[in-house]
């Protein structure tokens, strides 16, 4: 049974608007979370992380929010750009050990 | 800096054949991982190594073996390949206190 779930396989957004990608997890012991971006035929590349001691982390256009009580995290991209079109994965771990990934959300940013 | 290097990038096998996927990192990382990516399933952890000489099963270890040869190298072996092992395989490494760095992937087809 998957411990990390991304329930939206795809998302389409207009350029300049906000993209919100969601991720849920089941293990309350997870304490470190990551977001990755993946283009076809390439390896995933790291975007942003958040520790369970925080509820928000920002890096430029990317912000990750963590709601521990709901076991939910989200990635906000503002403003969205066509180059952001890719598959986004969230991942979670306990004590930086095994990282479990979601199934991914394919983001399409329309010009 | 090469980062994480995987070989081979492409491989076609017949059912029952064996092969080894090689992975090497030059970042002096302690932790290394093998994932497989399948459509709709995201990235699933096959095996994990927290440090040289240690390995641990992930979510989908059946049909695979691993060797952490030294700090730099972590190999994945398929002893008797099956069509269900057709996938894209990713190796990753981390310092053990942060994000994972991925290789470019190895596309394996088992006929």
């Amino acid at each position: 049974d998957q411990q990390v779930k991304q329930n939206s396989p795809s998302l389409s957004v207009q350029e300049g608007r906000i993209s919100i990608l969601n991720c849920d997890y089941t293990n309350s012991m997870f304490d470190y979370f990551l977001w990755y971006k993946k283009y076809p035929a390439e390896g995933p590349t790291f975007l942003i992380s958040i520790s369970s001691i925080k509820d928000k982390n920002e890096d430029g256009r990317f912000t990750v929010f963590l709601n521990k009580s709901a076991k939910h995290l989200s990635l906000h991209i503002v403003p969205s750009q066509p180059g952001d079109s890719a598959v986004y994965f969230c991942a979670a771990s306990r004590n930086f050990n095994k990282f479990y990934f979601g199934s991914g959300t394919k983001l399409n940013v329309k010009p | 800096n090469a980062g994480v290097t995987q070989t081979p990038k492409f491989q076609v096998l017949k059912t029952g054949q064996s092969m080894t996927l090689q992975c090497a990192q030059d970042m002096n990382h302690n932790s290394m991982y093998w994932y497989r990516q399948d459509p709709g399933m995201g990235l699933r952890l096959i095996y994990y190594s927290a440090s040289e000489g240690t390995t641990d099963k992930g979510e989908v270890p059946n049909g695979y073996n691993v060797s952490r040869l030294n700090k730099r190298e972590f190999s994945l072996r398929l002893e008797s390949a099956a069509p269900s092992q057709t996938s894209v395989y990713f190796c990753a490494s981390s310092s053990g206190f942060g994000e994972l760095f991925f290789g470019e992937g190895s596309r394996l087809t088992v006929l």
Side-chain angles (χ1 to χ4, degrees), chain A residues 2 32 34 36 38 41-44 46 89 95-103, chain B residues 33 35 37 40-43 45 48 56-57 59 90 96-100 102-103:
Chain A
Q2 274 197 299
Y32 190 65
L34 306 169
Y36 279 81
K38 186 183 181 304
E42 294 184 9
F46 170 72
F89 293 100
N95 293 336
F96 300 104
N97 286 319
K98 301 176 189 179
F99 279 87
Y100 297 94
F101 281 75
S103 55
Chain B
Y33 309 76
Y35 288 90
Q37 184 191 12
M41 302 296 291
L43 292 159
L45 181 63
Y48 161 65
D56 194 9
K57 293 179 180 178
E59 300 168 275
F90 289 98
F97 300 99
E99 71 268 24
L100 277 64
F102 282 86

Side-chain angles (χ1 to χ4, degrees), chain A residues 36-86:
Chain A
Y36 279 81
K37 177 179 182 179
K38 186 183 181 304
Y39 293 119
E42 294 184 9
T45 54
F46 170 72
L47 269 178
I48 192 167
S49 64
I50 189 166
S51 161
S52 61
I53 62 173
K54 292 185 168 184
D55 54 19
K56 178 182 173 181
N57 189 27
E58 289 181 83
D59 184 0
R61 296 186 297 116
F62 302 92
T63 302
V64 56
F65 296 91
L66 175 63
N67 182 334
K68 290 185 288 294
S69 61
K71 298 195 194 69
H72 177 83
L73 65 157
S74 61
L75 175 68
H76 291 209
I77 307 173
V78 183
S80 301
Q81 300 172 354
D84 295 330
S85 296

